[in-house]
Amino acid sequence: MAWLLVVVAGLLEAGFAVCLKLSHGFTRLWPTIAFAAFALGSFGLLTLALKRLDVGPAYAVWTGIGAAGTATYGMIFLGDVVSVLKIVSITLVICGVIGLQLSGSAQ
């Protein structure tokens, strides 16, 4: 259950990163509100998960999911440049996340 919280928190992290861009420096109301909601949800779920998991693997999985999710979203929906190197790098991040999750505490 704790790892599920980390995964959802990581997805919310990608959400708050995208909303941060869409807020244009907190000058747009709805993306700013969405940023705050995603950030609070992400940090809240990570906090709950850290009651049962080792901080190193859990934090790395959280940031990895957020980074890979944000980069992927940017390429698909925001017009970020797509390259083979980016796709390979995102794949490596995902592989690292899986490896860290498998090496984390079993609680």
Side-chain angles (χ1 to χ4, degrees), residues 29-85:
L29 179 63
W30 293 113
T32 299
I33 291 170
F35 160 79
F38 283 130
L40 287 171
S42 181
F43 287 117
L45 292 177
L46 181 62
T47 299
L48 292 174
L50 288 176
K51 289 181 178 181
R52 297 188 169 247
L53 299 174
D54 294 338
V55 69
Y59 183 76
V61 168
W62 178 71
T63 58
I65 291 170
T70 302
T72 302
Y73 187 93
M75 288 188 291
I76 294 171
F77 297 107
L78 300 177
D80 291 357
V81 175
V82 179
S83 70
V84 172
L85 183 57

Side-chain angles (χ1 to χ4, degrees), residues 1 11 13 15-16 19-21 36 40 42 44 52-53 56 64-66 68 79 81 85 93 101:
M1 181 65 176
L11 295 172
E13 183 195 2
F16 81 67
C19 289
L20 187 60
K21 176 174 179 58
L40 287 171
S42 181
R52 297 188 169 247
L53 299 174
I65 291 170
V81 175
L85 183 57
V93 168
Q101 193 277 337

